[in-house]
Amino acid sequence: MITSDFAPGSPCWLDLGTPDVRATAAFYGSVLGWEYESMGDGQDMEGGIFRKDGKVVAGLGKLTEEGARPAWMIYFGVTDADATTQAVERAGGTVRVAPRDLGEWGRMAQYSDPLGGQFAVWQPGKNSGVELVDEPGSLSWTELYTSDAAAAKEFYGGVFGWQFSDTELPGGGGTYTLITPAGLPEERMHGGLMQLPAEHLTLTDGRPYWHPVFAVTDCDAAVAEVTANGGSVQMGPQDAEGVGRLAVCLDPSNADFVLLTPPRG
């Protein structure tokens, strides 16, 4: 589970780059019940934050990087963004955005892993991260699809000290690797990674990619809102034993995310 104490190496923030901020804000409002708070000037709505029940759950901004696809960016908490940058480079990763201060709020950097999977880190200042996690309408899990699970474990284990445990998916679906922050028990696992053939990673032309999993109270109802508001469904809704009912979705700009209704206790 993801918690809001944000142990080093655990997810603490996420934001979405999109070509149409206004339309994207309306989409996630319908699907997840989010309220959008613009930080831009006038009617441009170049960026802002999403809230759920008054609590910050994510950021939203205009996609400005040439050639970049609309996508969610996952930020992992670190105590020293500069030291993490050195660790990324030693492990064969690439620095996309060098460490920079965002006022008094914190310090961030963005990277690519050696196979091209993009991720980011956040060194907290006044702002430690999102304010709501592991509740309906908020981030509950993070997931990496990669063409080389062994290489991913070596890289991210070296950078963050993550602990990994493998489990076999039912029905011969392959191996799924669970991720836990360094030094914490398995009940604090915050994500997973799965190896897929490069030809199945069509959103990124074969490169690995991270995506968020959002908890919802009713997966089928949320999926209906996805399709009614211009999004699409790649898989599901379907039941996964011990996990819940889930669907892999795309928003109208083809940014991917997962909706998950956990099993009833």
Side-chain angles (χ1 to χ4, degrees):
M1 63 182 294
I2 295 176
T3 63
S4 58
D5 64 0
F6 303 131
S10 64
C12 64
W13 181 257
L14 69 162
D15 55 34
L16 173 61
T18 182
D20 190 333
V21 171
R22 184 184 295 274
T24 299
F27 172 83
Y28 286 97
S30 297
V31 173
L32 294 170
W34 287 352
E35 298 172 348
Y36 179 67
E37 183 179 313
S38 175
M39 310 294 277
D41 295 323
Q43 298 300 311
D44 291 339
M45 294 187 68
E46 291 299 305
I49 56 174
F50 284 116
R51 294 183 184 271
K52 174 72 172 178
D53 300 328
K55 297 181 178 180
V56 177
V57 289
L60 178 66
K62 182 85 169 178
L63 186 65
T64 57
E65 182 180 346
E66 189 167 343
R69 77 176 184 98
W72 283 97
M73 179 69 71
I74 309 294
Y75 292 70
F76 301 99
V78 296
T79 56
D80 187 334
D82 296 272
T84 302
T85 297
Q86 294 173 6
V88 166
E89 292 177 318
R90 285 196 303 269
T94 302
V95 179
R96 299 182 63 249
V97 178
R100 63 172 65 168
D101 291 324
L102 298 182
E104 59 188 352
W105 302 106
R107 190 165 172 81
M108 61 81 70
Q110 294 185 0
Y111 315 105
S112 294
D113 68 28
L115 293 175
Q118 297 181 2
F119 67 104
V121 298
W122 179 252
Q123 177 186 329
K126 284 184 64 176
N127 184 4
S128 59
V130 294
E131 297 172 346
L132 185 70
V133 292
D134 208 38
E135 297 286 344
S138 69
L139 182 69
S140 65
W141 193 251
T142 59
E143 195 165 59
L144 173 67
Y145 289 166
T146 181
S147 55
D148 191 334
K153 286 190 277 189
E154 181 178 359
F155 172 78
Y156 290 101
V159 171
F160 293 117
W162 286 346
Q163 305 165 109
F164 302 103
S165 58
D166 292 340
T167 183
E168 293 303 313
L169 295 173
T175 301
Y176 192 84
T177 299
L178 300 165
I179 303 169
T180 304
L184 294 182
E186 283 198 350
E187 57 261 29
R188 289 293 305 275
M189 63 181 61
H190 63 252
L193 66 88
M194 186 172 180
Q195 181 168 308
L196 294 171
E199 58 267 23
H200 289 186
L201 304 176
T202 55
L203 290 175
T204 53
D205 297 323
R207 296 189 308 278
Y209 58 92
W210 287 92
H211 57 216
V213 178
F214 299 118
V216 291
T217 55
D218 185 332
C219 184
D220 294 73
V223 166
E225 291 294 333
V226 168
T227 56
N229 287 277
S232 59
V233 181
Q234 289 192 301
M235 184 189 78
Q238 65 186 47
D239 294 319
E241 184 178 353
V243 175
R245 189 161 178 80
L246 59 85
V248 181
C249 304
L250 299 176
D251 72 16
S253 297
N254 283 341
D256 57 302
F257 61 97
V258 176
L259 299 172
L260 171 67
T261 300
R264 288 185 172 87

